[in-house]
Structures are given as C-alpha cells and as structure tokens.
Amino acid sequence: MSGLRVEERPDRLVVTLDRPEKRNAIDADLVAELHAVCAELEARPRLLLLTGGTEGIFAGGADIGQLRERGRLDALAAINSAVFARVRALPMPTVAAVDGPALGGGAELAYACDLRVCTARAVFGQPEVRLGILAGAGATHRLPALVGEALAKELLFTGRRVDAAEALRIGLVNRVVDDPAELLPTAHGLLDEMAKGSALALRLTKLAVDAPPAAHPHLDLVSQAVLFEDEEKRRRMTDFLERRRDR
C-alpha cells in the first residue's frame, strides 16, 4: 500500500495514514486501501488502531484537488462516506489516535471509529460549508450522536475548530495526552484492556450498542443466549469462581 502502513499483531491491526507530503489528505487511492483493510478485518475480525502517527497531523481532510473535480454522480457514489461507514461497522472495536489536525474528512474518519485518543495539539473541525459543500461523509449524523445536536449544528454551520481540551470536555475524545510520544501507548492501552475480554462478547456488545433502538431488547436477548452457550463464558466464569474460592 502506498498511502497506508499496516502492522499486523496477533489481536489487532495498526494502520497509519502515510501521505505526509499531502497532510494525509484522503484521496481515491487511500479510500481503496481503507476498503482493503476493512475487507481483511471483516474476514478475520480483530481490533483496529487507526492513526496518522505522531508527526503532528492526522488527516487534513479530503484531497481538495480531487474534490473540486467531482460532480453529482461522484457525490451519489458515496466515495468517502461508504468506506467510513464500513470502518464504523467493523466487527471489533476501533480506536483512532489523533495527533494534530483532523479536519473535514479526516475528522469524519476519526468519528467513524468507536473511541478517540488525541494529543494536546489535536484539532477537529468541519470546514465544508466554507468550501461550498456539506460534511457528507458522516459528520451530519455521527457528530450529533457524539456531542449533541445543538453543538454539532454550531460546529457544522460555522466550521469552528475544536481543540483537544474542548474535545475532551464535550465527549468528542476519550483521552488527551500531553506528550505525543504517549499517544500510541495510550491507544494501545485501551485496546489491551478490551483484549482482556472475550472476543465474542466484545463483538456482540459492539453490535448491540450500535444497533438502532428498535432492535432492543431483542438483539440483547439473542446475543446473550449465544454467549450463555459459549465455552469461553464457562471457562471465564469457572476461573473467576476458583480465584474467589482460593482467596
């Protein structure tokens, strides 16, 4: 891959946006590579850490040169929104590690992940209306779900940028680290905590949380029925009871 660096670990993929000369702008080639990563994680579900590295840039948005030339049929093709939706629907949890600006499509890619960790110099923003378009790759529905409708509308209508401190306060990110060198260890630490749980329980929990309200409680009941018959559940509960008995 030319726009991504992919590191395989036993329980996760670490995917780094790697177009520093273009500020990690999201172009058609990068979209195709993200689709390939999604296909791999759909076929063999694992955790995902998505980052721009610790060089002071996550993603400066869509490639404006390409975006300027797109017409209505390109918009209807959902070029960026389709791959971000695929990231959102991955079977196992995902964490975005953000250093520096995450703007436009870059912010929408971060919103598509389940959790976000950022450095103190991170900035989020949706400048699309100032370019004559809307934030059409997920921000119009994911941002309200994260920060509430009124604040999301303010950010989408004005293009105002949100710094790391505000992002933490409004619930846009889960953690902020002062030292960029701590960004990836912090993100991996979150994934390490997840990896201590049952992979199937984790997968079904994500499915339940992301399901529409009408799916509850039926989805919860069916998921729990599956887990109650899983040998991993029996093993984990037996271990728990034995540890408590030996205290």
Side-chain angles (χ1 to χ4, degrees):
M1 293 184 177
S2 60
L4 297 177
R5 286 185 281 115
V6 179
E7 176 191 351
E8 290 205 37
R9 298 191 181 188
D11 63 352
R12 72 195 65 170
L13 284 188
V14 182
V15 176
T16 304
L17 305 177
D18 192 25
R19 300 186 70 213
E21 74 286 354
K22 294 290 187 179
R23 295 177 61 80
N24 290 338
I26 300 167
D27 66 355
D29 289 338
L30 189 60
V31 166
E33 293 179 8
L34 286 170
H35 273 298
V37 167
C38 288
E40 168 68 17
L41 291 172
E42 290 159 355
R44 185 184 162 206
R46 282 161 287 166
L47 302 166
L48 170 65
L49 173 56
L50 180 64
T51 183
T54 55
E55 303 304 319
I57 180 69
F58 179 73
D63 189 306
I64 301 300
Q66 288 188 4
L67 203 58
R68 184 184 60 182
E69 303 307 316
R70 291 179 183 172
R72 61 180 181 273
L73 295 181
D74 297 305
L76 292 172
I79 295 170
N80 286 6
S81 62
V83 74
F84 295 170
R86 200 172 178 184
V87 170
R88 180 65 179 178
L90 286 171
M92 296 287 281
T94 58
V95 174
V98 178
D99 184 29
L103 303 175
E108 290 175 302
L109 178 56
Y111 305 157
C113 293
D114 295 304
L115 304 178
R116 283 151 296 283
V117 177
C118 74
T119 64
R121 62 187 178 185
V123 179
F124 299 85
Q126 302 298 153
E128 285 87 354
V129 293
R130 298 185 182 186
L131 295 170
I133 59 174
L134 61 79
T140 57
H141 53 279
R142 293 197 183 99
L143 193 55
L146 289 168
V147 304
E149 179 182 329
L151 182 54
K153 284 181 174 179
E154 177 194 334
L155 299 176
L156 291 165
F157 294 169
T158 66
R160 179 172 71 81
R161 297 184 178 189
V162 172
D163 64 20
E166 183 179 2
L168 182 63
R169 179 174 58 80
I170 64 178
L172 188 58
V173 301
N174 301 84
R175 304 277 194 282
V176 176
V177 298
D178 291 326
D179 183 355
E182 293 301 312
L183 177 64
L184 295 183
T186 300
H188 278 297
L190 272 174
L191 292 169
D192 290 343
E193 288 300 309
M194 297 178 202
K196 293 177 182 178
S198 155
L200 183 59
L202 195 60
R203 183 172 177 177
L204 290 177
T205 298
K206 174 174 177 174
L207 187 67
V209 172
D210 288 345
H216 302 285
H218 314 293
L219 177 59
D220 308 73
L221 296 174
V222 171
S223 298
Q224 194 74 299
V226 170
L227 291 167
F228 274 12
E229 296 298 323
D230 185 40
E231 186 56 38
E232 178 78 359
K233 167 251 191 180
R234 299 175 190 277
R235 181 188 67 78
R236 285 174 175 268
M237 290 191 174
T238 299
D239 289 346
F240 173 83
L241 292 169
E242 289 179 350
R243 287 196 304 272
R244 188 172 67 175
R245 184 191 62 198
D246 293 339
R247 287 176 183 172

